[in-house]
């Protein structure tokens, strides 16, 4: 492979979004190069402009955006200013895209075969269908799909997420492009699948000598996969360098902050101050629940024989991939569904059995915080209405008393009083998650169930929210059930942990024990799959 | 005062396009309530020496076969069309809101029964349904409004039910239950406002449909009888002079289109996009 | 799959029965024998004996329930009864009238499909966003135009002014051209609106971007990918469109003086000829139900996802 040959070179790129007369610079003076066979990771938080850059390379900027200045060269072809027809000959043939969301990136009503054939025919209109299909069978095999002949006749919904992403990769490499733009290719996939997909991308890159621009928000993943890393902040490239050097010795304050906020797996949580033995806030024993199949027949079991307990004032982590039965488990904890067998006791009560006033009291004592706070707020309500609701429910009729409690709560969750007039839609992700926590706390709960509450947040905001949660737990003596797929975050916050797979609890116990000496194969695989597992915080930040 | 106004404007998202969208309907209402402000001429009394005159400076829209001023008749006719359309939409909302809420909030049986009923009614084209009702209760301006209103009930009920079901499934409704709100508190605070707001915007859109349906039935001759100035009826009467006096049919039609479009604009203006 | 089709068929029959009952209640029960009042008109010179014979023949002396059973029974046997106005069997009147309406329906439906296709393509692929937004408004505005007015203007301009198509003294397909095309405009409006909003939802999905990134042209994306995805929601309104065409025929045949089902319906309302009106309503409901059933049965063929869930549900 010719390492010296840049397959992508961007010079002084400025991209501007214009809407209603106001202009927003999404990218300012960005310059970078990706050489053949090399992977450059473009990392940045949301709104940094990393996706805009990917779209600009493909010539697919939205109409409201335009390139004000600069050049994008793929091989020796200048993309900027190229007419649409010429761009279409380059897209797919010389630059290919691996998209973010495999679930929605294939046409749902066409077969896999039809879509792959189309991908080839767009650039080789004369090729024979039979030959193309033979070539595609080989290609699908190459990307690790078993029974490729059969897959060609299947529809996207018949494939798993990982398989769909493999199909999309096959479509991307069908024309042997010189450059692949991979836009968060694994962020919608489970970690164990992520590892496989990233390994496949690495193999293909070395085999075909393709240059790869890997757009990601995940510093850990970038540190493992990329040859070089470019850090984008508010549209400006703040640091570029060899991966090892950059992670060992970040030069700019922004990169340093990113690395400081990144939850690292090998950093165990600080041991808690010793306390006397305390009662269990939650006891789950032999919990089993099956969704009812069609016509009242028993369907598949969503959770089987799960047992754990959570000591009051502590945090229990629940780790599981999609489809593991996490949601069913939480619904049992909240008393929304009644277990088929086994039992749940919360603060000594069985949520599925209690009635009337006890039920309402229990409901308020166990509060739920959602992954995506925006959709958990009535879009018509302002923050003031949102925070007033639990107080009104508690029978607090005096406005001034309510206002005082709301004010105190805002202070607690570190939100400025000005947010009261705003709707959640106009808040940042971090602000609205604080608001959701505030609403939950106004019910005076004993237990918070936190469902992937930091997964959608940027690392810096994630760190703030985790710190806030820890502070609140100390101050208010709260018990947490913390659901997450991010093992590094779980290790930081949880005292005990349950690892759940396909409805079964494969392992549980104190977090440190489980993570340092895992017994189950699945736990071991999960731990091995953590992106950036071996990353060590650079000495400068220590 | 100024800041209070500004805050009100911000809270209700009052923008210039929205205000402009309300304008045509306001104009229509003004014309309907005080047509005399816009035309001094009598819509009923004709001048025998001014029959079938083409549009001119004195008679902007010309005169009809009895020498009556077409512009004045259109202005005075707006009341009948507009009030009938509003009455129709009001009747259909009055029946459909409780039905739709019941279908959305009630149990499987109630909801199934209401939906099955709505499906049966929806299988009959609205015009046939209105005409059947008119066969039953007889022609006339109010009867037409009633017939059109009843014909729209099934469609409205379905629409409201769809909205209620959508809102019921949202995470914010689940969250409201989670913080200890009772069923009726959630219905009143979250489900009703969030499902009726889009439904009401669609209701204004239906105002335009009602205007069309009413003028169609009046055109077919089941509305008010001559010499009442009614747009659909004016077009029927004008058909006898199709080849010679184009203004007799063209202008009342334009008035109908203007009103229908005004309703469309209004519905866009009041649409709440949270 | 078979279970799915059977349940749909049962639902279709239920709707048909419900609509029949509703039209019976509206037209035949409520006024009692008010429709027969006209026979008491002294000008007809009918003796009380004759009147009571007529009443008996219409079953007007029976209770509402017996009347309902009678009408339902003869309708199921394919007997649509006799016109109250003329005494002619309703089926004979329908037989004479339907070809005119069928021709009108074919022209207007074909025209509406072509208009909707052309317009949707333009509205989705026009070069500038403001232009697309403006085009997007047109179907909504078009549905605000009263069809009778449109047809009158069409006669004035196309036949009288430009003298392109005659409207007097024509018959057969020639007579269906101008009214059919005029009716096509309001018929195409809801088709276009439903298709456009479905198409916009499809175009907002990530797979469209992926196709563009593979070098597919906008026209190819529209016809090979957006169209098959946006077609099912559009097809769900075909039953409604059929009803709209039939309702449109009432107005159109009145304006153009055509002797079709629409004219028949209009006269039936004018003369309170309930047997005829009910027969026409039944035809339109039957058409609606059959079309909807066909669309439901075809849906799994277009959308493979439905195929699976139904196979799962029936297994």
């Amino acid at each position: 492979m010719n390492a010296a040959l840049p397959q992508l070179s961007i010079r002084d790129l400025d991209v501007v979004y214009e809407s209603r007369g106001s202009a927003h610079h999404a990218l300012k003076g960005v310059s970078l190069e990706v050489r053949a066979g090399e992977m450059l990771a473009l990392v940045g938080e949301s709104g940094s402009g990393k996706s805009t850059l990917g779209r600009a390379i493909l010539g697919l900027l939205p109409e409201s955006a335009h390139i004000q200045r600069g050049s994008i060269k793929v091989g020796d072809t200048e993309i900027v200013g190229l007419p649409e027809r010429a761009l279409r000959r380059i897209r797919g043939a010389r630059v290919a895209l691996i998209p973010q969301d495999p679930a929605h990136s294939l046409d749902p009503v066409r077969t896999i075969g039809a879509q792959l054939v189309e991908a080839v025919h767009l650039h080789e209109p004369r090729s024979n269908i039979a030959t193309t299909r033979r070539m595609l069978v080989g290609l699908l095999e190459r990307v690790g799909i078993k029974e490729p002949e059969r897959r060609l006749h299947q529809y996207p919904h018949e494939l798993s997420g990982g398989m769909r992403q493999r199909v999309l990769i096959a479509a991307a490499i069908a024309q042997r492009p010189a450059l692949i733009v991979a836009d968060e290719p694994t962020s919608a996939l489970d970690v164990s699948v992520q590892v496989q997909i990233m390994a496949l991308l690495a193999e293909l890159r070395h085999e075909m000598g393709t240059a790869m621009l890997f757009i990601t928000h995940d510093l850990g993943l970038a540190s493992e996969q990329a040859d070089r890393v470019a850090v984008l902040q508010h549209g400006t490239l703040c640091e570029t360098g060899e991966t090892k050097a950059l992670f060992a010795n970040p030069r700019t304050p922004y990169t340093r902050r990113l690395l400081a906020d990144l939850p690292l797996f090998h950093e165990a949580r600080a041991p808690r101050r010793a306390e006397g033995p305390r009662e269990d806030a939650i006891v789950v024993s032999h919990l089993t629940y099956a969704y009812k199949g069609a016509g009242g027949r028993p369907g598949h079991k969503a959770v089987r024989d799960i047992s754990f307990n959570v000591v009051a004032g502590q945090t229990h982590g629940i780790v599981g991939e999609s489809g593991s039965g996490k949601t069913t488990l939480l619904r049992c904890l909240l008393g929304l569904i009644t277990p088929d067998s086994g039992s749940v006791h919360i603060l000594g009560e069985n949520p599925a059995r209690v009635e009337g006033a006890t039920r309402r009291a229990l409901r308020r004592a166990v509060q739920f915080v959602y992954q995506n706070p925006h959709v958990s707020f009535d879009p018509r309500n302002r923050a003031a209405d949102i925070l007033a609701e639990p107080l009104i429910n508690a029978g607090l009729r005096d406005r001034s008393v309510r206002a005082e409690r709301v004010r105190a709560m805002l202070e607690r969750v570190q939100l400025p009083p000005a947010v009261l007039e705003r709707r959640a839609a106009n808040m940042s992700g971090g602000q609205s998650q604080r608001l959701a926590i505030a609403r939950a706390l106004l019910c005076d709960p004993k237990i918070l169930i936190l469902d992937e509450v930091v997964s959608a947040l940027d690392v810096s905001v994630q760190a703030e929210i985790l710190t806030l949660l820890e502070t609140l737990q100390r101050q208010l003596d709260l018990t947490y059930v913390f659901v997450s797929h991010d093992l590094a975050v779980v290790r930081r916050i949880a005292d005990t942990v349950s690892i759940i797979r396909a409805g079964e609890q494969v392992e549980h116990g104190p977090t440190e024990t489980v993570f340092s000496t895992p017994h189950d194969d699945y736990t071991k695989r999960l731990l091995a799959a953590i992106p950036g597992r071996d990353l060590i915080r650079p000495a400068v930040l220590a | 005062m100024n800041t209070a106004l500004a805050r009100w404007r911000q809270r209700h998202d009052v923008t210039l396009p929205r205000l402009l969208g309300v304008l045509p309907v306001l104009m229509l209402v003004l014309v309907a309530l005080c047509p005399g402000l816009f035309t001094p001429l009598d819509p009923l009394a004709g001048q025998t020496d001014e029959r079938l005159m083409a549009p001119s400076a004195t008679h902007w829209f010309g005169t009809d076969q009895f020498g009556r001023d077409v512009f004045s008749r259109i202005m005075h006719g707006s009341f009948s069309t507009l009030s009938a359309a509003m009455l129709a939409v009001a009747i259909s909302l009055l029946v459909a809101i409780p039905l739709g809420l019941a279908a959305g909030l009630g149990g499987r049986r109630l909801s199934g029964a209401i939906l099955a009923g709505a499906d049966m009614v929806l299988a009959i084209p609205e015009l046939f349904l209105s005409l059947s009702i008119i066969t039953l209760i007889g022609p006339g301006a109010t009867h037409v409004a009633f017939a059109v209103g009843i014909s729209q009930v099934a469609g409205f009920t379905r629409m409201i039910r769809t909205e209620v079901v959508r809102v019921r499934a949202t995470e914010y409704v689940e969250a409201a239950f989670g913080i200890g709100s009772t069923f009726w508190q959630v219905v009143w605070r979250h489900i009703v406002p969030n499902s009726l707001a889009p439904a009401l915007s669609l209701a204004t859109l239906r105002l335009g449909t009602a205007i069309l349906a009413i003028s169609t039935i009046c055109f077919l001759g089941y509305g008010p009888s001559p010499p009442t100035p009614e747009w659909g009826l004016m077009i029927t009467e004008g058909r006898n002079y199709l080849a010679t006096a184009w203004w007799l049919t063209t202008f009342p039609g334009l008035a109908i289109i203007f009103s229908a479009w005004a309703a469309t604009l209004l519905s866009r203006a009041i649409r709440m996009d949270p | 799959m078979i279970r799915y089709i059977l349940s749909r068929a049962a639902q279709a029959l239920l709707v048909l029965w419900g609509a029949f009952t509703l039209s019976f209640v509206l037209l035949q029960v409520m006024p009692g024998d008010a429709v027969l009042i006209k026979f008491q008109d002294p000008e007809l010179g009918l003796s009380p004996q004759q009147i009571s014979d007529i009443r008996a023949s219409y079953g007007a002396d029976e209770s509402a329930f017996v009347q309902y059973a009678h009408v339902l029974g003869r309708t199921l046997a394919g007997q649509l009864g006799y016109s109250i106005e003329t005494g002619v069997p309703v089926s004979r009147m329908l037989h004479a009238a339907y070809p005119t309406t069928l021709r009108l329906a074919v022209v207007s439906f074909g025209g509406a499909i072509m208009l909707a296709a052309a317009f949707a393509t333009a509205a989705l692929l026009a070069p500038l966003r403001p232009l697309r937004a403006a085009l997007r408004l047109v179907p909504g505005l078009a549905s605000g135009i009263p069809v009778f007015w449109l047809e009158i203007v069409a006669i004035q301009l196309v036949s009288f002014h430009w003298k392109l198509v005659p409207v007097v003294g024509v018959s057969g397909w020639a007579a269906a051209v101008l009214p059919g095309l005029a009716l096509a405009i309001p018929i195409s409006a809801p088709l276009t609106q439903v298709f456009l909003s479905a198409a916009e939802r499809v175009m907002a999905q990530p797979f469209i971007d992926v196709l563009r990134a593979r070098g597919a042209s906008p026209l190819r994306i529209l016809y090979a990918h957006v169209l098959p995805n946006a077609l099912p929601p559009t097809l769900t309104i075909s039953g409604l469109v059929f009803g709209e065409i039939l309702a449109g025929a009432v107005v159109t045949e009145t304006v153009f003086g055509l002797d079709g089902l629409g004219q028949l319906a209009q006269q039936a309302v004018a003369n309170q000829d309930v047997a005829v009106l009910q027969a026409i309503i039944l035809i339109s409901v039957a058409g609606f139900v059959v079309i909807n059933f066909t669309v439901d049965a075809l849906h799994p063929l277009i959308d493979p996802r439905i195929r699976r869930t139904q196979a799962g549900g029936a297994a």
Side-chain angles (χ1 to χ4, degrees):
Chain A
M1 109 187 50
N2 189 347
L5 194 74
Q7 291 297 351
L8 170 70
S9 63
I10 297 176
R11 289 276 159 271
D12 300 321
L13 188 68
D14 279 14
V15 174
V16 183
Y17 280 87
E18 280 183 65
S19 68
R20 290 189 193 167
S22 71
H24 161 68
H25 282 259
L27 292 172
K28 282 170 284 198
V30 171
S31 300
L32 56 81
E33 272 186 3
V34 189
R35 288 184 289 273
E38 181 191 49
M39 177 191 270
L40 174 75
L42 186 64
V43 279
E45 298 188 297
S46 49
S48 61
K50 54 187 194 299
S51 289
T52 303
L53 186 62
R55 298 185 68 101
I57 295 165
L58 289 154
L60 286 178
L61 283 173
E63 269 175 303
S64 54
H66 70 273
I67 295 175
Q68 202 171 46
R69 181 171 78 92
S71 114
I72 301 172
K73 273 186 167 173
V74 172
D76 41 19
T77 312
E78 176 62 55
I79 296 289
V80 178
L82 211 59
E84 177 64 23
R85 271 176 176 284
L87 272 174
R88 284 211 287 272
R89 279 198 294 275
I90 290 177
R91 283 184 210 136
R94 293 176 57 197
V95 193
L97 171 75
I98 299 175
Q100 176 168 17
D101 180 5
H104 301 108
S105 292
L106 288 162
D107 185 339
V109 306
R110 312 280 309 270
T111 58
I112 301 297
Q115 299 188 54
L116 287 173
V117 168
E118 182 189 30
V120 174
H121 277 219
L122 284 170
H123 299 284
E124 300 168 37
R126 281 164 214 287
S127 68
N128 169 300
I129 294 236
T131 332
T132 309
R133 286 186 90 92
R134 265 201 301 284
M135 186 275 274
L136 289 172
V137 168
L139 199 60
L140 286 181
E141 247 161 18
R142 177 64 202 87
V143 298
I145 287 181
K146 295 189 190 75
E147 303 180 79
E149 291 278 7
R150 193 164 72 90
R151 301 295 178 205
L152 286 180
H153 296 285
Q154 286 186 316
Y155 288 94
H157 70 263
E158 298 173 89
L159 271 55
S160 70
M163 280 224 272
R164 281 181 228 162
Q165 192 59 295
R166 287 175 197 272
V167 169
L168 286 159
I169 291 173
I173 62 171
Q175 298 292 313
R176 301 200 143 252
L179 171 70
I180 290 178
V181 176
D183 188 356
E184 304 264 12
T186 57
S187 57
L189 302 172
D190 284 328
V191 271
S192 52
V193 183
Q194 166 167 293
V195 176
Q196 299 164 12
I197 297 288
M198 290 314 297
L200 174 65
L201 288 179
E203 274 173 41
L204 292 171
R205 187 168 89 244
H206 294 132
E207 191 178 299
M208 299 169 33
T210 316
M212 197 172 286
L213 182 72
F214 175 52
I215 299 172
T216 185
H217 69 283
D218 190 332
L219 283 163
L221 200 56
S223 78
E224 272 179 2
Q225 300 287 336
D227 301 303
R228 289 190 302 130
V229 173
V231 182
L232 203 57
Q233 180 199 13
H234 303 316
T236 331
L237 216 50
C238 78
E239 189 163 355
T240 312
E242 298 293 324
T243 308
K244 279 219 177 63
L246 186 134
F247 278 91
N249 186 18
R251 292 187 309 268
T252 59
Y254 179 68
T255 317
R256 283 183 190 184
R257 214 187 75 217
L258 279 184
L259 283 174
D261 288 336
L262 183 65
L264 294 185
F265 178 68
H266 69 88
E267 289 181 354
R269 74 173 289 169
R272 301 233 197 175
R273 54 180 158 47
E275 273 182 81
R278 296 198 57 180
E279 75 287 10
D280 284 334
I282 301 175
V283 181
V284 176
S285 65
H286 307 291
L287 177 72
T288 298
Y289 182 87
Y291 284 100
K292 307 296 171 281
R297 278 161 293 185
H300 75 286
K301 297 209 168 177
V303 290
R304 269 185 303 270
D305 197 25
I306 290 186
S307 305
F308 61 82
N309 51 345
V310 188
V311 177
Q314 293 207 339
T315 301
H316 182 71
I318 294 179
V319 175
E321 296 185 301
S322 50
S324 61
K326 280 180 297 185
T327 313
T328 313
L329 179 57
L330 296 186
R331 288 172 69 85
C332 287
L333 289 184
L334 290 166
L336 294 173
I337 49 179
T338 312
D340 295 336
S341 65
S343 67
V344 173
H345 281 91
I346 296 200
L347 306 168
E349 306 276 0
N350 182 338
R353 294 275 160 75
V354 292
E355 294 294 335
T358 334
R359 185 194 177 92
R360 273 198 298 282
L362 190 61
R363 196 167 245 185
R364 290 174 63 84
V366 184
Q367 284 298 306
F368 192 89
V369 183
Y370 294 82
Q371 169 171 13
N372 184 355
H374 284 298
V375 296
S376 74
F377 300 130
D378 186 333
R380 304 170 66 82
N381 286 162
R382 295 164 306 133
D385 310 319
I386 290 167
L387 295 180
E389 199 173 345
L391 297 175
I392 295 171
N393 291 344
L396 225 61
R397 293 185 192 287
D398 189 336
R399 267 170 184 278
S400 59
V401 177
R402 287 208 304 257
E404 181 50 35
R405 287 217 42 195
V406 165
R407 199 196 52 74
M409 185 54 70
L410 285 181
E411 213 162 89
R412 214 180 249 296
V413 300
Q414 296 151 27
L415 277 175
V419 298
L420 285 178
E421 286 300 309
R422 306 231 300 265
R423 291 195 177 88
N426 304 323
M427 293 182 193
S428 68
Q431 279 181 328
S432 48
Q433 200 56 282
R434 282 170 201 273
L435 185 66
I437 292 169
R439 175 173 65 177
L441 292 180
L442 283 170
C443 293
D444 298 318
K446 297 273 183 292
I447 298 172
L448 284 192
I449 297 181
L450 306 157
D451 185 12
E452 299 274 10
V453 286
V454 294
S455 310
L457 304 173
D458 287 326
V459 280
S460 50
V461 186
Q462 194 174 36
E464 286 169 19
I465 297 286
L466 288 174
T467 310
L468 174 69
L469 286 173
E470 285 166 337
T471 315
L472 291 171
Q473 185 168 44
R474 261 198 321 277
Q475 290 174 344
L476 302 169
D477 190 31
L478 294 167
T479 308
Y480 290 160
V481 174
F482 190 92
V483 180
S484 179
H485 67 279
D486 190 332
L487 292 158
V489 169
V490 171
R491 192 174 197 177
R492 169 175 165 181
I493 199 163
D495 302 281
T496 52
V497 67
S498 292
I499 313 280
I500 297 182
R501 184 201 187 195
E504 289 188 73
Q505 181 172 265
V506 297
E507 196 153 354
H508 89 289
T511 312
E512 277 321 300
T513 320
V514 171
F515 282 11
S516 53
T517 53
H519 293 295
D520 185 82
D521 281 347
Y522 178 69
T523 316
K524 287 178 190 162
R525 278 213 306 281
L526 270 189
L527 290 171
I530 297 172
R533 177 186 159 81
D534 303 320
L535 208 56
I536 294 168
R537 227 178 276 288
V540 283
L541 299 172
Chain B
M1 187 60 211
N2 225 343
T3 51
L5 183 70
R7 207 175 317 144
W8 179 84
R9 276 186 54 175
Q10 201 201 348
R11 244 179 104 166
H12 296 272
D13 200 12
V14 180
T15 55
L16 190 63
R18 282 192 156 191
L19 286 175
L20 287 178
V22 180
L23 213 59
V25 165
L26 285 182
M27 235 170 85
L28 267 178
V29 171
L30 188 66
V31 169
L33 292 179
C34 346
L37 288 180
F38 300 87
T39 168
L41 297 170
D42 191 316
L44 296 179
Q47 309 258 216
T48 36
D49 52 338
E50 294 187 347
R51 273 185 268 176
L52 294 174
M53 282 172 61
S56 65
T58 32
H59 299 291
W60 291 356
F61 291 176
T63 60
D64 68 5
Q65 65 275 24
F66 299 114
R68 298 175 298 199
D69 180 58
V70 175
F71 181 75
S72 166
R73 284 178 66 76
I74 287 177
M75 292 290 127
H76 283 88
S78 61
F79 180 79
S80 135
T81 305
L82 217 58
S83 57
M86 284 178 182
L87 182 62
V89 173
I91 289 172
S92 47
L93 280 180
L94 214 62
V95 185
I97 288 179
L99 278 178
L101 285 174
L105 297 173
R108 274 178 71 109
R109 276 214 191 143
L110 180 63
S111 155
I114 294 174
L115 284 182
D119 278 346
M120 287 168 187
V121 179
L122 283 172
I124 304 174
E126 270 179 28
L127 180 65
F128 286 160
L129 199 56
S130 324
L131 288 178
S132 304
I133 296 172
I134 287 183
T135 326
L136 182 66
I137 60 176
T142 325
H143 287 183
V144 171
F146 178 79
V148 167
I150 292 296
S151 313
Q152 293 193 343
V153 165
F156 265 131
T157 304
R158 253 193 169 284
M159 197 170 81
I160 292 168
R161 186 249 174 200
T162 308
E163 286 299 323
V164 171
V165 168
R166 176 185 66 80
V167 175
R168 252 189 107 166
T170 57
E171 244 171 46
Y172 59 83
V173 164
E174 194 183 300
F177 282 120
I179 55 171
S181 310
T182 62
F183 178 76
W184 291 110
Q185 278 174 330
V186 174
V187 168
W188 183 245
R189 284 185 203 147
H190 303 290
I191 297 180
V192 167
N194 280 294
S195 54
L196 288 194
L200 285 180
S201 154
L202 284 167
T204 26
L205 198 63
R206 284 301 218 147
L207 196 62
T209 320
I211 289 171
L212 282 187
I214 287 164
S215 51
T216 301
I217 295 171
C218 293
F219 169 79
L220 291 174
Y222 305 110
S225 34
T228 317
E230 202 288 334
W231 297 340
L233 185 63
M234 286 169 73
I235 296 179
T236 312
E237 294 174 308
R239 274 179 67 209
N240 300 328
Y241 307 90
L242 213 55
T244 47
W246 57 270
W247 54 92
L248 291 184
T249 48
T250 305
F251 291 114
L254 290 176
I256 297 171
I257 295 173
F258 177 81
S259 323
W261 287 2
T264 312
L265 280 175
L266 181 67
S267 90
R268 291 178 71 87
I270 66 167
R271 187 169 55 201
M272 288 286 193
D273 296 311
Chain C
M1 196 63 205
I2 287 172
R3 220 166 110 161
Y4 163 73
I5 288 183
L6 284 180
S7 86
R8 288 280 143 176
Q11 217 175 333
L13 287 177
L14 190 71
V15 168
L16 195 56
W17 167 78
F20 169 83
T21 308
L22 179 70
S23 66
F24 178 84
V25 168
L26 276 178
L27 294 171
Q28 306 205 2
V29 165
M30 305 277 241
D33 51 7
V35 274
L36 298 173
I37 283 172
K38 70 172 81 161
F39 292 108
Q40 288 165 343
D41 190 333
E43 279 183 30
L44 289 173
L46 294 171
S47 70
Q49 179 58 41
Q50 283 172 309
I51 290 175
S52 83
D53 282 352
I54 293 172
R55 291 171 58 91
S57 77
Y58 285 104
D61 288 334
E62 310 285 353
S63 73
F65 187 77
V66 175
Q67 279 186 55
Y68 173 70
H70 170 72
V71 175
L72 182 61
R74 70 156 163 73
T75 309
L76 283 175
Q79 275 276 319
L80 294 170
Y82 298 88
S83 160
I84 294 166
E85 180 70 11
T86 59
V88 178
V90 174
S91 50
R92 197 189 298 164
M93 297 170 79
L94 296 180
H95 192 78
Y98 89 88
T100 307
T101 308
L102 190 65
R103 284 190 287 266
L104 181 67
V106 167
V107 173
S108 62
F109 186 66
I113 293 280
M114 283 190 276
L115 204 59
F119 193 84
T121 310
L124 290 170
L125 297 185
L128 296 167
R129 193 150 48 148
L131 183 58
R132 284 201 302 272
L135 285 172
R136 188 75 178 74
L137 290 176
V138 175
L141 297 179
S143 60
I145 301 174
V147 60
F148 54 91
W149 179 81
L150 193 67
E151 286 164 347
I152 287 170
V153 172
I155 293 174
Q156 285 170 336
L157 283 178
V158 181
S159 311
F160 294 172
H161 193 74
W162 297 326
K163 302 191 194 311
L164 290 175
V165 184
V167 282
V168 189
V170 281
S171 61
W173 287 98
V177 173
L178 190 59
L181 292 181
L183 184 55
I185 292 174
I187 295 297
S188 72
L191 277 176
T192 317
Q193 276 176 313
V194 173
F195 177 77
L196 276 180
S197 58
E200 275 166 2
R201 277 197 303 277
V202 174
M203 287 173 92
Q205 289 199 36
F207 79 82
I208 298 296
D209 265 353
V210 172
L211 286 164
R212 290 174 69 201
R214 279 185 202 145
S217 66
L219 204 64
R220 176 173 186 88
I221 291 175
L222 180 61
Y223 285 109
H225 298 279
V226 176
L227 185 66
N229 276 285
L231 212 51
T234 316
L235 285 178
T236 54
I237 65 157
S238 4
L240 220 59
V241 166
F242 173 81
E244 287 295 312
I245 290 181
L246 223 51
V250 174
V251 172
T252 307
E253 289 172 8
T254 307
V255 172
F256 285 88
L258 301 171
D259 295 320
L261 295 175
Q263 185 75 269
L264 217 53
Q266 150 77 346
Q267 281 160 4
V269 175
N271 304 325
Q272 297 200 310
D273 198 342
V274 290
V276 175
L277 188 55
Q278 200 186 5
I280 291 172
I281 290 178
L282 265 188
I283 290 177
S284 80
V285 172
F288 174 88
V289 162
V290 167
I291 289 172
N292 275 0
F293 173 70
T294 316
V295 167
D296 280 348
L298 288 178
H299 198 168
L301 296 183
I302 302 173
D303 193 335
R305 287 165 297 182
I306 306 277
R307 210 145 54 203
R308 187 182 65 161
T309 49
Q310 265 137 25

